[in-house]
Amino acid sequence: MTALGLALTVAVLLSVLALVGGLRETFRASGGPLNILALRKGATTELASNFNRSVYNDLKFKPGIARNESGEPMASLELVTVISLESPEHPAGTNVNFRGVSAVGIQLRNGLTIERGRWFRPGFREVAVGHSIAMRYPEVGVGGKLHLGHGDWEVVGIMRAGDSSINSEIYCDLNQLAADETRPEVLSSVLLRASDPVAKAALIRDLTDDQRLNVDALAETDYYDRQSRSSAPVQFVGLFVAALMSIGSAFAAMNTMYAAVSHRSREIGTLRVLGFSKSAILLSFLFESLLLAALGGVLGCLLILPLNNLTSGIGSFTTFSETTFQFRVTPAIMGIGMLFAGFMGAVGGLFPASNAARKEILVALRSV
Amino acid sequence: MFRYLPFILKSSMRSKRRSLLTIAGAGISLSLLGTLMAVYHAFYIGEAPPQQALRAITRNRVSPAIMLPISYNDKIKRVSGVVDSMPFQFFGGVYKDPKNIFARYAVEPEHLFPLHADYTIPEDQKLAFQREKTGCVVGRGVAERYGFKIGDRITLKGDIFPVTLNLKLVGIYDSSFHDDVLFFRLDYLFDLLPERRRNKVFAFLVLADSPDSVARICAGIDEMFRNSTARTRTEAERAFELGFVSMLGNVKAFLLSISVALTFMLLLVTANTMAMSVRERVREVGILKTLGFTKPAILTILLGEAALLTSIGGLIGCFCAELLVALIRGLPTIILPLSGLQLEPSVAVLLLAIAIGVGLASALVPAWGAARTPILEALKFTD
């Protein structure tokens, strides 16, 4: 029973770690290693950023920007807004990123492919929706309609890019969206690719320091790393609960071990008479407690395994949109769980074990 | 049953260490459980305070990033049952450091206080807000946290809006909830914004004549803008706030699953203790029986001991939960309806009931076994 109590504590800790780990992985997969994101100075998210087309035209010929096969600079001006999708789970709607991109924008995303259907055509009210969205909101499958701005947008394809957060976004033609939102000149952000890692650092500095442009440039990976902080409240609550539960479980382990010690008083006395040292007794009880904890840890890991690859969504107050991620129960996380269980076992076992080791031989032998 | 109380007390003092550990373990689990239940209650069970129940919020149906034209306000006012309404803008922004979190809204000064009858503010400060274009008012909570005094200059750097506000604090209002908000004037914001972004707002705050008409008003407003470019979603203010909570993910399932895990753990911990303590006492039970104690009496004594331990744990849990709840109340919140979080009496009673229930359930099996053991067998029992 003590082991089960420990198992539950471990399970709570692990579920939080699996959530945070899964979310981190999603965001880590989202940034391209050479990509740089430019936002208006002071803006921390693409949604809050404003980017003039004229600034983009000045920016795209900066040295250090990679070029694609046709010789165009790989810099994509984009417009980001959010759309509220209704689902049975969230009748009031969940916010999802809605992004207008050009052909270069699609090239800039590594591994982004169309899974079903086709890409949207420039100048048409067509969209490609991310894989996770298509799974979570069945009504936006191929052929479905989305209402945004001046009319309906037709879903023509399902896109997928590994585990990246693009799977939780909707893409459409940049100019069509800009016209629809009546902001043809003022868009959101620019994503660009540096030609190599050295050029990347130089380019970030160059863009940020250029007074004329008035933009903040940062590595795309850093941008997404910052987004993963949206899980901070859940992480905090989860760790806090797990910490308090661990105190409770350590008390339970202590109770069990104290009972074992008093139960085996005579046995301890006998062992001492036979020549076992105090430290041997101490170790044996501590070891027993650790074994108990290990059992709890294993059970906790087993309890949490069904959570692996479970898909869920988490919203962010900074981007006002939801990212879909999968719980990840990795060996590393299970290792942490076992260590945590071991720690509780050690704390719970230490006092009873030292109590056992200090017992006077005669008293111990006489006790009933 | 109370006849046995001294006996129960005595026997629970028999292994002080074990009783203390059990009480402490139960207390910790129960304080967590109590806090989670208080949060759950605040989110999903508690009713909106009477003033809040009169308010609704109209926003863009499709996207919070797309603003609504300010002209909607006059049309909303014409819906029957609407007493007052005002456009408001969520500003975001940074005060000195991004870590300073409190909500900032641009509002119409003439309508702010009529719409929030639950805010109290001295009349002269209210008028000063209506007179001064760069004026702002803050809740008592914000004023205390940042040491604001009337007349202070407050600079907010915009992030969603490319402007910097230079505000002058002209009033401090009191409110039992939502006292961590800064309000400034919408016309001041519009003055600073480029033409393209003026006269558009994030949402409208609507006041109904009675709580019962809120649902009808919400439907009425949405119906009115059904065929316009910017369709609306109107919902009660409380529902709107809960929408923000659900943005964090499936909070309900999260709260429920942790609560279940906690209760279960509590049951395991106490059941373990009770099993140990009863086992130790089988001989004693035999003696009690010889002395003429009946089976029900023995059951009462054993169950009573478990219930006593867990109910003390429950009391400690209530106390600690109250502390935790106060801690959460003090956290900076933006829109979450947690600023008025309280450990409601009904929740506290439920917590105690769970504590006693868990105690009884955990002792039932071992106690039943002990009470049923025949006298001779019990006396013979050596452990």
Side-chain angles (χ1 to χ4, degrees), chain B residues 46-58:
Chain B
E47 302 247 314
Q51 287 300 331
Q52 193 186 24
L54 287 175
R55 287 193 295 266
I57 287 177
T58 301

Side-chain angles (χ1 to χ4, degrees), chain A residues 172-243:
Chain A
C172 70
D173 177 40
L174 171 71
N175 293 328
Q176 187 63 39
L177 181 63
D180 207 63
E181 295 250 303
T182 54
R183 50 190 282 195
E185 290 306 312
V186 187
L187 301 119
S188 301
S189 58
V190 169
L191 184 70
L192 47 91
R193 176 168 299 167
S195 49
D196 56 80
V198 182
K200 180 183 170 188
L203 202 52
I204 290 179
R205 246 193 333 270
D206 186 16
L207 292 176
T208 308
D209 294 345
D210 193 330
Q211 297 288 335
R212 215 160 30 98
L213 296 179
N214 192 31
V215 302
D216 272 335
L218 75 171
E220 198 190 12
T221 44
D222 290 346
Y223 177 74
Y224 282 109
D225 194 43
R226 228 165 45 190
Q227 303 286 306
S228 65
R229 284 188 215 151
S230 55
S231 65
V234 177
Q235 189 178 5
F236 175 77
V237 172
L239 292 184
F240 183 74
V241 169

Side-chain angles (χ1 to χ4, degrees), chain A residues 12-192:
Chain A
V12 168
L13 176 79
L14 289 194
S15 58
V16 172
L17 290 181
L19 184 157
V20 173
L23 193 64
R24 283 239 174 87
E25 192 160 318
T26 297
F27 282 122
R28 196 175 308 130
S30 304
L34 285 175
N35 287 358
I36 298 173
L37 183 69
L39 306 170
R40 178 178 55 79
K41 227 175 193 56
T44 49
T45 60
E46 292 182 278
L47 192 61
S49 171
N50 279 313
F51 215 102
N52 275 322
R53 208 180 271 271
S54 59
V55 176
Y56 165 70
N57 288 332
D58 289 343
L59 176 150
K60 70 177 173 189
F61 294 112
K62 285 263 182 197
I65 297 180
R67 299 197 171 239
N68 62 11
E69 306 87 72
S70 47
E72 288 172 74
M74 294 193 74
S76 157
L77 181 63
E78 306 188 344
L79 176 56
V80 178
T81 184
V82 289
I83 181 172
S84 166
L85 293 181
E86 291 169 26
S87 69
E89 197 188 334
H90 297 282
T94 323
N95 294 326
V96 170
N97 265 351
F98 197 98
R99 187 187 292 271
V101 294
S102 53
V104 177
I106 294 170
Q107 281 176 13
L108 273 168
R109 267 99 186 166
N110 291 334
L112 175 58
T113 52
I114 275 287
E115 202 174 49
R116 283 220 332 265
R118 56 173 173 84
W119 281 110
F120 49 86
R121 290 168 295 172
F124 283 83
R125 301 181 72 85
E126 295 177 340
V127 297
V129 302
H131 169 83
S132 312
I133 292 183
M135 301 248 293
R136 277 164 71 85
Y137 306 95
E139 68 265 43
V140 295
V142 174
K145 293 255 193 292
L146 292 172
H147 187 90
L148 178 79
H150 295 294
D152 283 340
W153 297 74
E154 194 190 341
V155 179
V156 296
I158 310 287
M159 58 183 183
R160 178 164 199 174
D163 284 330
S164 116
S165 65
I166 295 173
N167 294 341
S168 335
E169 296 194 333
I170 299 177
Y171 278 21
C172 70
D173 177 40
L174 171 71
N175 293 328
Q176 187 63 39
L177 181 63
D180 207 63
E181 295 250 303
T182 54
R183 50 190 282 195
E185 290 306 312
V186 187
L187 301 119
S188 301
S189 58
V190 169
L191 184 70
L192 47 91

